[in-house]
Amino acid sequence: MEEPLIERMRVYGETIFAEMTRLAVETESVNLGQGFPDTDGPRSLLENASRHILEGVNQYPPGPGRPELRRAVSRYRSRHYGLDFDPDSEVYVTVGATAGIAASLLSLVERGDEVIVFEPMYDSYAAMISLAGGERRPVALRRDPESGRFTFDPAELRAAVTPRTRLVMVNTPHNPTGTVFTSAELEEIAAVCREHDLIAVTDEVYEFLTFDDRRHVPLASLPGMRERTLSISSVGKMFAVTAWKTGWVTGPEPLVRAVRTVNQFLTFSANGALQLAIADAIEGEGEWIEAQRLSLQGKRDRLAEGLGDAGFDVNVCEGTYFLMADIRPLGYRDGEDLARALPAAAGVAAVPAKVFYDHQDEGRHLLRFAFCKKDEVLDEAVARLRRWHRDAG
Ligand SMILES: *Cc1c(COP(=O)(O)O)cnc(C)c1O
């Protein structure tokens, strides 16, 4: 048979994550490649979900989501960010942020439209823009030599706008760089959106995982942005239950209605029992979220120090699950080569950051390490990397 896959999706083969996980298993490596926690979410969340299933919450919930969850989402967005969304028409529950991203891009991007994305970018953005028939206009996040954090050049952002630009995709806190956009950075993006009448789609799955004195600011909270922004969040990172695949989209009614029109034919609805349990956790587990944030901050420091000792140049990380490490001080140039070699050589797996770029040269020298793991797992990875560095040097 000829290749049956539609042409525009043919570049999306097996992801590097699957390959690295396979390598990690074969070599019995510590896998710091994929970003999922190895501890569970709050006990009450797990127990409530089990109870709802046993008590019979097992049929289709309403397509837009259980009202309990939509109300809880509306309340926390109001409480934390001062953003008010009507739980009935401006909050919509999806099968994880992934389906929220898919439905947003498929419902808003017309064939030939351009989408501005910051690179490195989460891998589903590129694939969904392609599936929608749109085109990417990447704007690079680069390490600022003074602060050590990744940021963009506002002039590059402005230069990326063309008459065909439809929307800007924004991820903050940012995977994989760990940057949490400041209000000033967000204002640069907001100004471009307002001037050119663009829609913004924001991926905020790490909204509560920010470190030190950084706090997440939703783009929708900037002047003139509420009416043109769709914000996407998810329970996966919020409560360390990445298998639960339950997320939500908030925004003005016309944008949410667009998402709803497409999503009713993608997944129709998300798991109802989980939605009920999540609604309670959002209301009642604020302390768990804060403890998780502080715990992750400690893990970031633990891994950053270890990677530094092993010879990597570690970038500033203000949020998320990830550290970006520059491999050049170790004498390496290509992160993909090192990522393939590291499991056998050191017993540790990471992800080459270049897979998150359109302009792969921008990220060639970087590896992404996940630190959302038990302390003993991180310590073992660090011990192995130190040994590898010592033996190699
Ligand atoms: C994990 C992740 C997602 C996917 O979230 P799900 O709720 O599991 O679908 C989306 N965006 C970013 C940046 C992520 O890191």
Side-chain angles (χ1 to χ4, degrees), residues 257-270:
R257 183 157 28 90
V259 166
R260 175 178 180 157
T261 303
V262 166
N263 192 68
Q264 62 189 334
F265 304 112
L266 287 179
T267 60
F268 176 62
S269 64

Side-chain angles (χ1 to χ4, degrees), residues 342-354:
L342 211 53
V348 176
V351 171
K354 83 179 192 194

Side-chain angles (χ1 to χ4, degrees), residues 35 94-101 121-125 169 171-176 203-206 232-237 241-248 320-322 368:
T94 58
V95 178
T98 305
I101 293 163
M121 75 189 96
Y122 187 66
D123 56 350
S124 82
Y125 308 163
M169 185 82 212
N171 171 213
T172 183
H174 185 261
N175 171 8
D203 179 342
E204 307 179 26
V205 300
Y206 298 101
I232 299 168
S233 302
S234 161
V235 76
K237 313 289 164 51
V241 284
T242 58
W244 282 29
K245 300 304 286 187
T246 307
W248 43 89
T320 76
Y321 284 167
F322 305 107
R368 189 193 78 173

Side-chain angles (χ1 to χ4, degrees), residues 81-299:
Y81 310 125
L83 285 164
D84 292 314
F85 290 100
D86 172 29
D88 291 326
S89 61
E90 298 185 312
V91 180
Y92 185 91
V93 178
T94 58
V95 178
T98 305
I101 293 163
S104 299
L105 292 171
L106 290 172
S107 62
L108 299 172
V109 177
E110 193 65 89
R111 254 168 241 280
D113 282 353
E114 292 180 357
V115 178
I116 294 177
V117 284
F118 293 91
E119 65 175 355
M121 75 189 96
Y122 187 66
D123 56 350
S124 82
Y125 308 163
M128 280 304 133
I129 293 165
S130 296
L131 194 56
E135 281 168 39
R136 298 190 291 283
R137 297 282 297 196
V139 173
L141 297 175
R142 297 198 191 88
R143 179 177 171 155
D144 173 50
E146 258 160 55
S147 65
R149 60 194 282 282
F150 281 71
T151 186
F152 60 93
D153 176 353
E156 265 182 57
L157 171 61
R158 289 181 172 276
V161 180
T162 79
R164 291 199 292 149
T165 308
R166 171 74 166 154
L167 70 81
V168 184
M169 185 82 212
V170 179
N171 171 213
T172 183
H174 185 261
N175 171 8
T177 65
T179 286
V180 178
F181 281 147
T182 62
S183 295
E185 285 165 332
L186 291 167
E187 179 47 37
E188 295 284 357
I189 300 169
V192 168
C193 291
R194 289 189 305 256
E195 278 164 38
H196 299 275
D197 196 20
L198 306 179
I199 297 168
V201 174
T202 62
D203 179 342
E204 307 179 26
V205 300
Y206 298 101
E207 62 193 311
F208 293 121
L209 304 183
T210 61
F211 310 135
D212 309 317
D213 55 353
R214 293 283 176 211
R215 285 296 173 272
H216 171 63
V217 178
L219 185 63
S221 67
L222 274 76
M225 292 307 290
R226 186 203 184 278
E227 68 224 49
R228 58 176 74 250
T229 304
L230 263 182
S231 310
I232 299 168
S233 302
S234 161
V235 76
K237 313 289 164 51
M238 184 186 281
F239 285 120
V241 284
T242 58
W244 282 29
K245 300 304 286 187
T246 307
W248 43 89
V249 173
T250 56
E253 190 273 339
L255 292 181
V256 170
R257 183 157 28 90
V259 166
R260 175 178 180 157
T261 303
V262 166
N263 192 68
Q264 62 189 334
F265 304 112
L266 287 179
T267 60
F268 176 62
S269 64
N271 186 305
L274 301 188
Q275 290 184 48
L276 284 184
I278 295 163
D280 282 342
I282 289 175
E283 300 282 340
E285 290 288 359
E287 281 175 25
W288 187 94
I289 290 179
E290 178 59 9
Q292 174 82 345
R293 187 181 79 76
L294 291 172
S295 157
L296 277 166
Q297 182 174 307
K299 292 175 188 299

